[in-house]
Amino acid sequence: MSTSSELSSRIAFDLEAFFSERKTLIDGALDDLLPAESVEPISVHQAIRWSVFAGGKRFRPILLLTTGEVFGASPKELLTTACAFEMIHTYSLVHDDLPSMDDDELRRGLPTCHIRFDEATAILAGDALQTLAFQSIAEDSLLTSEKRVLLISELGRAAGTPGGMVAGQARDLEAESRSVSTDELEQIHRLKTAALIVAAARCGAIIAGATQQELEAVGKYAAHLGLLFQITDDLLDITATAESLGKTPGKDARAQKATYPSLYGIETAHQRAKLVHQEACTVLERIDRPTERLHTIADFILNRQA
Ligand code: GRG
């Protein structure tokens, strides 16, 4: 298991500069891909840009870029698919915040899309982000047609149902009114949160032309990472402030939702996070490539404060 000094030295590798440089790259590409606010229908395009550029860590696209680079792809080849993941992720946040779902007023530190605009506009903005994600990959002339089809298939499976985010969201909503076992909780999170994270890592590797064995290993790494992401999300819901989170904290407890801390207790949830982090790092040993940055991303998720 990594010692805390090993962890802090990996984190000390200029993580902030690494994330901020990639975030700038991604935001520039998103700006090129998204319709301009001046184009009709103006309200939908304003709502799309409001939600996408409200902030956000850009975790999924950064993971895709990093994985792709580990396996030898150039940032240029990876960028459009990375943006497609951010579009899908942002659509999911916009729809999750709607009154019929999580009913939230704060996201990425700003009023949610349906509060700033209106419900119909928020639904359309989410819909448009989803279709633009697939369109962007389909039209990416830097990739072969064969790769584009593979990427669209990966993203569709991970975002949809029965094996992806929509299925996880539906099961999560359905489980709100009853008690949930730890196994079921983990299954919901594998679908709702981890599936997209796994697909982001796999798509980076697919663009780079990784082997089936490498794809399988990187998918396992990302499955642990996705679970770790959710455990830390649940812990932050209890411990963080609205200012640092950019969204309303304490919602899970108020809704009496099953979460890692509510089922295991805070201390055990922390222990579980450390174990899952270690499992993610162990899988990386199977990959004969320079995977240090993937270790660093796992460290970042374990220690994240937002
Ligand atoms: C509406 C189909 C549909 C799905 C919604 C995103 C989602 C599924 C639910 C949001 C609820 C939630 C807290 C999920 C846990 C993990 C998660 C997706 C957190 C938000 O992602 P971050 O932290 O957000 O990467 P930023 O703003 O940094 O991009």
Side-chain angles (χ1 to χ4, degrees), residues 287-303:
I287 302 172
D288 191 19
R289 306 266 185 160
T291 56
E292 291 79 10
R293 288 192 176 171
L294 295 178
H295 275 278
T296 309
I297 286 183
D299 296 347
F300 167 74
I301 298 303
L302 178 65
N303 294 294

Side-chain angles (χ1 to χ4, degrees), residues 55-60 86 89 91-93 95-96 101-102 107-108 159 165-166 169 192-193 229-230 233 247 304 306:
K57 294 178 286 299
R58 307 296 191 234
F59 170 61
R60 295 147 194 83
E86 188 61 26
H89 169 59
Y91 122 70
S92 81
L93 299 179
H95 282 192
D96 183 64
M101 297 226 190
D102 209 31
R107 173 70 67 183
R108 293 176 163 173
M165 182 178 69
V166 167
Q169 178 79 345
K192 192 176 89 168
T193 308
F229 192 93
Q230 185 63 52
D233 208 74
K247 61 181 180 181
R304 73 192 179 107

Side-chain angles (χ1 to χ4, degrees), residues 50-51 53-57 93 97 104-113 116 241-249 306:
W50 172 265
S51 295
F53 294 118
K57 294 178 286 299
L93 299 179
D97 289 333
D104 218 321
E105 299 192 348
L106 187 66
R107 173 70 67 183
R108 293 176 163 173
L110 290 174
T112 47
C113 195
R116 169 64 183 79
T241 60
E243 200 186 356
S244 67
L245 275 186
K247 61 181 180 181
T248 320

Side-chain angles (χ1 to χ4, degrees), residues 34-236:
L34 297 175
E37 282 189 2
S38 53
V39 172
E40 292 286 356
I42 288 172
S43 62
V44 173
H45 298 156
Q46 281 177 336
I48 287 174
R49 284 176 172 269
W50 172 265
S51 295
V52 171
F53 294 118
K57 294 178 286 299
R58 307 296 191 234
F59 170 61
R60 295 147 194 83
I62 289 175
L63 176 64
L64 190 150
L65 289 182
T66 310
T67 309
E69 287 178 73
V70 161
F71 289 102
S74 70
K76 225 169 134 188
E77 296 170 278
L78 298 160
L79 208 46
T80 297
T81 310
C83 290
F85 273 81
E86 188 61 26
M87 290 179 204
I88 293 284
H89 169 59
T90 305
Y91 122 70
S92 81
L93 299 179
V94 170
H95 282 192
D96 183 64
D97 289 333
L98 289 169
S100 56
M101 297 226 190
D102 209 31
D103 192 12
D104 218 321
E105 299 192 348
L106 187 66
R107 173 70 67 183
R108 293 176 163 173
L110 290 174
T112 47
C113 195
H114 67 277
I115 295 288
R116 169 64 183 79
F117 298 89
D118 56 46
E119 230 180 292
T121 307
I123 292 171
L124 290 173
D127 290 341
L129 277 168
Q130 176 163 204
T131 53
L132 187 60
F134 293 107
Q135 181 192 337
S136 301
I137 300 176
E139 294 175 358
D140 185 355
S141 59
L142 296 178
L143 303 177
T144 63
S145 306
E146 199 182 336
K147 275 190 187 162
R148 291 184 226 177
V149 171
L150 280 175
L151 297 169
I152 289 168
S153 165
E154 286 276 339
L155 182 54
R157 278 176 187 278
T161 187
M165 182 178 69
V166 167
Q169 178 79 345
R171 290 180 58 170
D172 197 29
L173 290 171
E174 181 262 325
E176 266 177 15
S177 49
R178 60 177 173 79
S179 65
V180 171
S181 70
T182 50
D183 279 356
E184 194 181 355
L185 180 71
E186 213 145 293
Q187 176 60 12
I188 289 171
H189 293 323
R190 284 192 194 286
L191 294 167
K192 192 176 89 168
T193 308
L196 205 57
I197 292 174
V198 170
R202 281 178 56 90
C203 285
I206 287 171
I207 293 171
T211 65
Q212 277 307 323
Q213 257 180 336
E214 287 172 328
L215 268 179
E216 204 188 302
V218 88
K220 284 206 170 121
Y221 153 80
H224 292 306
L225 202 62
L227 207 51
L228 177 61
F229 192 93
Q230 185 63 52
I231 300 172
T232 51
D233 208 74
D234 286 355
L235 283 163
L236 285 170

